[in-house]
Amino acid sequence: MEVFNATNSHSAASMTPDWMTSEHSMGTTIMAVTYEGGVVMGADSRTSTGVYVANRVADKITAITNQIYCCRSGSAADTQAISDYVRYYTDQHSIELGTAPRVRTVAGLFRELCYANKANLQAGIICAGFDNKEGGQVYNITLGGSCVQQPFSIGGSGSSYIYGFCDANFKQGMSRDDAIKFTTEALSLAMSRDGSSGGVARLVVIDKQGVERKFVPGNKLPEFWTQ
């Protein structure tokens, strides 16, 4: 009779695949670009759990107010929670003021929450939008909680592949159409090279008139190697 030996047996936990226990994360590509009159935000749609793709069509661009949005990278749970808190505080702030909040104010709320909880969070945020005082603005809130205003910002694992492209092709005061084209091409390049980025490209265009969402299927993204 075979005797059970605990030393050479495997526990159920050790036999569980990594993708079943890993944290949902957004190894991702996110970006936001200012243009003359507004901003364009863009993101891929792949959410991963370890090496397993948990969601092919996630929406990583989250509304905070009617004209202020954020792009999320890092832990999906952390960034969703932070976005919910900021939306709640922003709603309270709007009621007190009786007017829509400024983009700078919302970015400051992200900074406070990310910095105060930086030891417990994995959250990289790009906050962008339009207000009547400063027009289109982009703020990058890093993993450590720093907040920097930039003419354009890129983030996530795919961003390391497109720094050169963005530096070479970004121009201050671009038109709306040029900004959309620039964002779509940058996302396509990152998604073709980064294994943690992929799926479809989602874009949000924000200006004085309001917000327009755009969707680019994976098979419609620019393919530079065929040109």
Side-chain angles (χ1 to χ4, degrees):
M1 178 186 298
E2 183 179 355
V3 179
F4 175 77
N5 187 346
T7 60
N8 58 20
S9 67
H10 295 284
S11 66
S14 66
M15 298 177 65
T16 303
D18 290 341
W19 60 266
M20 293 186 67
T21 57
S22 298
E23 180 181 34
H24 278 223
S25 64
M26 293 188 293
T28 183
T29 304
I30 57 174
M31 65 185 299
V33 181
T34 58
Y35 69 88
E36 191 66 38
V39 295
V40 176
M41 306 177 74
D44 76 308
S45 65
R46 179 172 292 175
T47 297
S48 55
T49 306
V51 297
Y52 176 76
V53 177
N55 189 345
R56 296 179 299 163
V57 288
D59 188 356
K60 304 176 186 179
I61 309 178
T62 302
I64 304 299
T65 71
N66 289 339
Q67 289 183 294
I68 304 174
Y69 281 62
C70 73
C71 291
R72 303 178 291 111
S73 67
S75 165
D78 290 351
T79 57
Q80 286 170 355
I82 289 290
S83 299
D84 288 343
Y85 273 112
V86 170
R87 188 184 303 109
Y88 169 77
Y89 289 131
T90 301
D91 287 345
Q92 297 298 315
H93 184 62
S94 300
I95 293 170
E96 291 177 1
L97 291 181
T99 186
R102 296 171 62 181
V103 182
R104 181 185 298 273
T105 302
V106 177
L109 286 171
F110 274 113
R111 179 197 62 209
E112 289 294 326
L113 289 171
C114 289
Y115 182 78
N117 300 281
K118 61 182 177 181
N120 303 311
L121 294 176
Q122 187 182 4
I125 303 289
I126 297 176
C127 179
F130 181 93
D131 62 50
N132 292 325
K133 288 187 178 292
E134 298 184 67
Q137 300 148 73
V138 171
Y139 294 88
N140 183 22
I141 298 92
T142 65
L143 290 174
S146 299
C147 181
V148 182
Q149 184 176 5
Q150 299 175 310
F152 76 91
S153 181
I154 57 178
S157 58
S159 64
S160 59
Y161 296 92
I162 56 173
Y163 273 100
F165 173 84
C166 291
D167 288 341
N169 290 276
F170 174 78
K171 295 178 178 60
Q172 290 277 9
M174 284 192 294
S175 69
R176 184 179 188 272
D177 290 341
D178 286 343
I180 292 172
K181 181 174 181 290
F182 170 70
T183 303
T184 305
E185 290 180 348
L187 289 174
S188 178
L189 283 169
M191 291 161 66
S192 67
R193 288 163 171 77
D194 177 35
S196 296
S197 300
V200 303
R202 299 184 187 275
L203 280 72
V204 173
V205 184
I206 310 172
D207 57 21
K208 188 174 183 178
Q209 282 69 44
V211 177
E212 180 185 1
R213 277 189 172 268
K214 291 181 176 292
F215 173 88
V216 185
N219 62 345
K220 300 295 184 182
L221 289 168
E223 295 181 347
F224 295 87
W225 55 89
T226 63
Q227 298 177 3

